[in-house]
Amino acid sequence: DAGITQSPRHKVTETGTPVTLRCHQTENHRYMYWYRQDPGHGLRLIHYSYGVKDTDKGEVSDGYSVSRSKTEDFLLTLESATSSQTSVYFCAIRDPSGGDTGELFFGEGSRLTVL
Amino acid sequence: GQNIDQPTEMTATEGAIVQINCTYQTSGFNGLFWYQQHAGEAPTFLSYNVLDGLEEKGRFSSFLSRSKGYSYLLLKELQMKDSASYLCAVWDSNYQLIWGAGTKLIIKP
């Protein structure tokens, strides 16, 4: 199994507070992704990174920021949480080199509830 | 726009065969993935198709027709543990993954 962990796994917070989710990998993969998953929707990409300090926006990036100062860590920050950001957040990694198909490996997910 | 369609829910009987369809309209195509996701867990990789045809992997097979924008996942000899959501995803021309909403498969004894 790919070494990828997320923290916290569960969090309840109040509207207007900042929240940071952490994704940590031990695979030394270049590509890291943050997705959110909501009922009735497919996984939706928030932000992604293709290397240290190289990040880009996904389709639902408003209200979110990311940072990647080390290969192994990718942080997702909600500057001021809103109820619409209540969701399950998944981090994923991908190794674009080598003989694999380029599939994503996912962390266990972080369930965030904004009251 | 880009779109992936798959049925919301399907029901099948233990020991039977079920086919889950996926149709896609994307800007370009660089491959199609199927993932399995048990309730409360992370998605896990099942299969990848980039050329037309059938890929078989044990009880699971995945088919692709690029000209029709169509794929299916075939599950044989269904087991109760196959109860899960099955997610279809397409790599577009920019190697961004476009995801379907998933098909919830319910297996009955």
Side-chain angles (χ1 to χ4, degrees), chain A residues 33 35 37 40-43 45 48 90 94 101-104 106-108, chain B residues 33 35 37 40-45 48 87 91 95-97 99-101:
Chain A
Y33 305 80
Y35 285 94
Q37 188 175 42
H41 293 272
L43 287 161
L45 183 64
Y48 64 101
F90 285 101
R94 177 170 78 92
T101 65
E103 73 266 26
L104 300 185
F106 288 85
E108 319 97 309
Chain B
F33 294 87
Y35 281 77
Q37 185 177 25
E41 298 183 6
T44 55
F45 170 76
Y48 172 71
L87 314 179
W91 253 348
Y95 284 94
Q96 295 295 345
L97 264 179
W99 294 85

Side-chain angles (χ1 to χ4, degrees), chain B:
Chain B
Q2 307 202 88
N3 194 52
I4 294 183
D5 287 318
Q6 43 181 139
T8 303
E9 186 174 297
M10 299 181 69
T11 302
T13 304
E14 189 177 16
I17 300 173
V18 70
Q19 177 175 311
I20 302 174
N21 296 326
C22 169
T23 58
Y24 61 90
Q25 293 174 307
T26 56
S27 55
F29 178 85
N30 281 303
L32 184 143
F33 294 87
W34 284 97
Y35 281 77
Q36 181 189 59
Q37 185 177 25
H38 286 101
E41 298 183 6
T44 55
F45 170 76
L46 281 180
S47 68
Y48 172 71
N49 295 70
V50 65
L51 299 176
D52 289 351
L54 188 68
E55 295 277 346
E56 297 186 76
K57 192 185 294 185
R59 294 188 300 113
F60 292 9
S61 303
S62 56
F63 171 83
L64 175 67
S65 169
R66 289 172 296 171
S67 63
K68 296 182 179 179
Y70 168 70
S71 172
Y72 67 73
L73 180 69
L74 192 71
L75 291 73
K76 302 176 184 176
E77 301 170 15
L78 286 170
Q79 303 175 9
M80 297 304 293
K81 67 178 182 180
D82 297 329
S83 292
S85 289
Y86 291 86
L87 314 179
C88 175
V90 171
W91 253 348
D92 69 9
S93 57
N94 295 318
Y95 284 94
Q96 295 295 345
L97 264 179
I98 311 301
W99 294 85
T103 298
K104 182 178 181 181
L105 178 63
I106 299 167
I107 309 296
K108 295 186 174 180

Side-chain angles (χ1 to χ4, degrees), chain A residues 12-74:
Chain A
V12 179
T13 191
E14 293 187 351
T15 298
T17 60
V19 176
T20 295
L21 305 180
R22 179 183 184 236
C23 178
H24 178 78
Q25 61 145 331
T26 58
E27 305 297 319
N28 203 36
H29 286 350
R30 281 182 56 201
Y31 286 79
M32 299 186 75
Y33 305 80
W34 276 109
Y35 285 94
R36 61 178 291 174
Q37 188 175 42
D38 305 287
H41 293 272
L43 287 161
R44 292 184 289 176
L45 183 64
I46 306 171
H47 282 278
Y48 64 101
S49 170
Y50 37 94
V52 174
K53 300 192 189 304
D54 283 328
T55 65
D56 208 345
K57 296 179 179 180
E59 62 177 311
V60 291
S61 59
D62 286 349
Y64 302 95
S65 62
V66 290
S67 66
R68 191 164 179 203
S69 58
K70 299 185 290 185
T71 298
E72 57 266 34
D73 289 325
F74 192 31

